[in-house]
Amino acid sequence: MSGQAIAVTGLGLVTPAGMGTAATWEHMCTGAPTATSDPELAGLAVDFSCRVRDLDGRRRLGGRLCMRLDRFGQMAIIAAREAVIHARLDSKDWDAPRVGVVLGVGANSLSTYPVEFGRLRDGHADKVSPFALPRSVPNMVAGAVSLDLGAQGPSFTTSSACASGATALAVACDLLRSGACDIVISGGSESASSVMCSVTFGQMQALSKRCHDPAGASRPFDADRDGFVLGEGAGILVLERTSHARARGARTLAYLAGYASSCDAYHYTSPHPEGDGLAQAIRSALADADLAPHDIGHVNAHGTSTALNDATEARALHQVFRRPPPVTANKSVIGHSMGAAGAIEAAMTVLTLQHQLIPPTANLDRMDSAIDLDIVTKIPRPARIDAALSASSGFGGQNAALVLTRA
């Protein structure tokens, strides 16, 4: 049985491709990778990442607020403010207890704690910041956005590894379908470009080691891919019940028509080799949207650039689609922002539906012969797209699929 479609009325993006939705979209359409050497990772085996440039939190948010927020919190508030303005909402006018906030975070901050642990190690417990805990606890990013915007409805985070942002949007959809909220500000935020992430993912052999060519490192579905590239960012969508959006005369950008989640129940870190769990989530999301596989005109892939993920994702798509529609992989340009990735990619899918244009996948120079997909490369591809799929997966066998349709 299908569920009620939810209106997307606002977008906010902070990514390595640009500050803001317009800047991000413009850069993504060039297909130019953003990975560069990262001074904060200097001396490590993997010393490059995709960082958000020009994130001047003090200038954008003020020094006092920045003291209370880690990097992922700053990005979330900046993106949320943009999304609310884009939706033409004013917190002075909305019914605050009917406005919720649900954000995906894959982990707590991995930059604050090492600094504070260092003070403890050096015998300076009195120097540990009183802001260390509220800056880094995952739920505080939702709390900070609620506080900043005056949203008094349900406020919490979801954590399903790299599917967290997509899962947050699904939970937000449930809050709206159930009638618990009129508006939900939802998405994800994460700063994965940290020393701890570089070391731990490097030890797992999950990161690309192309230190000599950072820009060419993230290459989903390419035969020479050797791992993902650390990234960061925030993606926020304003979701509303369709009746509420219509009543206030809001412009609907697209509809979140269906969603589903699943678990591989196969391995702690490796995906199911045939992509069974992801295929299950996609089928269920299509059913929720009351659509058939042939209705989908585009797939925004999880596309991490790891050997296992790309191959199993391709198998999952072939399980569902007789011939998968055109595919793009945003992580080729902006790296992997972990818990924020699914939300950023959902926002990019909304923009693709709006512009009827699929941004290209970077660095696909030699297609993996075992992967039979129509990957959009080199330049954007115009296409008639009435419905699109955004797919996400993560450690623990987490899978999430979102179906978005044209307004």
Side-chain angles (χ1 to χ4, degrees), residues 72 103-110 136-139 141 157-168 187-192 197 201 233 336-342 393-395 398:
F72 75 127
L103 299 180
V105 179
N108 61 338
S109 172
L110 293 175
S136 53
V137 174
N139 78 289
V141 70
T157 59
T158 63
S159 184
S160 49
C162 300
S164 297
T167 305
S189 187
E190 193 99 85
S191 182
C197 280
F201 282 116
H336 195 347
S337 56
M338 308 298 171
S393 299
F395 283 176
Q398 308 282 352

Side-chain angles (χ1 to χ4, degrees), residues 28-65:
M28 294 297 291
C29 285
T30 70
T34 60
T36 58
S37 296
D38 187 335
E40 291 195 24
L41 305 181
L44 300 180
V46 177
D47 61 0
F48 60 93
S49 73
C50 294
R51 275 196 176 270
V52 173
R53 297 174 180 83
D54 304 320
L55 182 66
D56 187 345
R58 288 185 175 274
R59 178 173 62 85
R60 294 175 183 274
L61 302 175
R64 188 169 184 177
L65 181 54

Side-chain angles (χ1 to χ4, degrees), residues 195-219:
V195 170
M196 184 63 75
C197 280
S198 182
V199 171
T200 54
F201 282 116
Q203 291 288 84
M204 295 174 66
Q205 307 300 310
L207 297 181
S208 171
K209 298 180 178 64
R210 287 177 177 255
C211 296
H212 65 288
D213 178 28
S218 186
R219 45 200 319 112

Side-chain angles (χ1 to χ4, degrees), residues 379-396:
I379 60 174
R381 182 188 298 181
R384 171 61 189 242
I385 309 168
D386 293 319
L389 169 75
S390 183
S392 299
S393 299
F395 283 176

Side-chain angles (χ1 to χ4, degrees), residues 7 85 100 167 171 226 376:
I85 291 170
T167 305
V171 172
D226 70 330
V376 177

Side-chain angles (χ1 to χ4, degrees), residues 360-375:
T361 301
N363 298 319
L364 184 52
D365 301 325
R366 188 166 66 94
M367 188 77 175
D368 185 336
S369 60
I371 294 175
D372 180 20
L373 293 175
D374 176 14
I375 310 292

